[in-house]
Amino acid sequence: MKTLVICSGGLDSVSLAYKVAAEHELVGLISFDYGQRHKKEVGYAARAAERLGVPHDLIDMTAIGAFLSGSALTDDVDVPDGHYAEDNMKVTVVPNRNAIMLAVAFGVAAAKDAEAVATAVHGGDHFIYPDCRPGFIEAFQKMQDAALEGYADVKLYTPFVHVPKSEIVVEGAKVNTPFADTWSCYKGGEKHCGRCGTCVERREAFHLAGVEDPTEYADPDYWKSVVEAS
């Protein structure tokens, strides 16, 4: 299956890229600059593409992203510390982000004669991000079947949609994903902060998977108190 992977440069999407390279035909990685404050992640996606020997396409969505305001990922809004919980992490929602990115990626895939677009949405995202849920994935596929009818047949490949992040770590380890060369932190500092929701989730995922976490965190032990309190 000739597959284009949407890759942010994070642990999930880089693991997915390596999984696709091992199990299918990886035709390239596609990333998006939507004005995210932690856009350093895009550099990690570029390096993943270079290691895997495939093209890396970066789509400039900054003009669109400027209108998707109000998120801690794009605006001057504090990124909350703590575990992912609906009350504090919904400030990280960028409205319709995945739907927009997927629509563009499907167009690119059709132009490249790819058979699938892969994205690393996972079970832990469901209650926070509506465009990561299985219902959205199914509806989007139906929409693209209609949009490309008679022109291309592109499938949406989401192997992690029903599993927790710890399972992504397990799957990533199986295909030798270079976890140290991925970026998750929403704060975009010199090193992972260790305190924001995505850092806590990342650290906990390695712990639950029983895989050594090579990530350097500014606060490496904060996650323990947060998980114990949740």
Side-chain angles (χ1 to χ4, degrees), residues 127-177:
F127 73 96
I128 304 168
Y129 306 117
D131 53 3
C132 291
R133 296 170 187 159
F136 166 79
I137 298 301
E138 294 168 9
F140 189 89
Q141 181 69 69
K142 290 180 181 178
M143 184 267 285
Q144 284 300 308
D145 289 344
L148 294 172
E149 185 177 5
Y151 179 77
D153 183 12
V154 182
K155 299 304 179 186
L156 182 51
Y157 180 51
T158 57
F160 303 146
V161 70
H162 293 295
V163 303
K165 198 180 190 79
S166 56
E167 184 61 27
I168 297 177
V169 173
V170 171
E171 289 295 308
K174 288 179 182 176
V175 292
N176 299 312
T177 302

Side-chain angles (χ1 to χ4, degrees), residues 1-219:
M1 186 167 63
K2 295 170 62 177
T3 305
L4 178 69
V5 174
I6 296 177
C7 185
S8 67
L11 184 154
D12 304 338
S13 61
V14 174
S15 295
L16 177 60
Y18 272 76
K19 178 179 174 67
V20 169
E23 299 175 359
H24 301 283
E25 181 181 349
L26 178 64
V27 299
L29 306 185
I30 185 170
S31 303
F32 296 87
D33 180 354
Y34 56 92
Q36 63 268 46
R37 292 160 61 182
H38 58 298
K39 68 176 60 180
K40 65 183 292 181
E41 65 179 0
V42 172
Y44 288 82
R47 291 206 292 274
E50 183 177 2
R51 286 193 304 268
L52 290 165
V54 297
H56 175 241
D57 295 313
L58 176 60
I59 306 297
D60 185 352
M61 273 181 32
T62 52
I64 297 173
F67 290 92
L68 308 179
S69 59
S71 171
L73 302 194
T74 56
D75 291 4
D76 188 18
V77 177
D78 288 340
V79 175
D81 290 343
H83 204 284
Y84 268 104
E86 192 165 7
D87 286 344
N88 69 336
M89 289 307 293
K90 61 185 176 183
V91 72
T92 65
V93 172
V94 179
N96 226 30
R97 179 184 62 174
N98 279 0
I100 295 168
M101 292 179 180
L102 280 169
V104 173
F106 263 72
V108 173
K112 290 178 177 286
D113 293 323
E115 298 167 287
V117 169
T119 187
V121 296
H122 64 86
D125 287 337
H126 293 173
F127 73 96
I128 304 168
Y129 306 117
D131 53 3
C132 291
R133 296 170 187 159
F136 166 79
I137 298 301
E138 294 168 9
F140 189 89
Q141 181 69 69
K142 290 180 181 178
M143 184 267 285
Q144 284 300 308
D145 289 344
L148 294 172
E149 185 177 5
Y151 179 77
D153 183 12
V154 182
K155 299 304 179 186
L156 182 51
Y157 180 51
T158 57
F160 303 146
V161 70
H162 293 295
V163 303
K165 198 180 190 79
S166 56
E167 184 61 27
I168 297 177
V169 173
V170 171
E171 289 295 308
K174 288 179 182 176
V175 292
N176 299 312
T177 302
F179 294 125
D181 206 16
T182 65
W183 185 266
S184 298
C185 183
Y186 282 158
K187 296 185 181 181
E190 287 299 312
K191 60 179 69 173
H192 283 74
C193 73
R195 299 181 64 89
C196 70
T198 190
C199 277
V200 170
E201 183 192 43
R202 179 184 175 113
R203 185 65 189 87
E204 183 185 20
F206 277 101
H207 172 72
L208 293 174
V211 174
E212 183 179 356
D213 184 357
T215 313
E216 186 177 2
Y217 298 96
D219 191 342

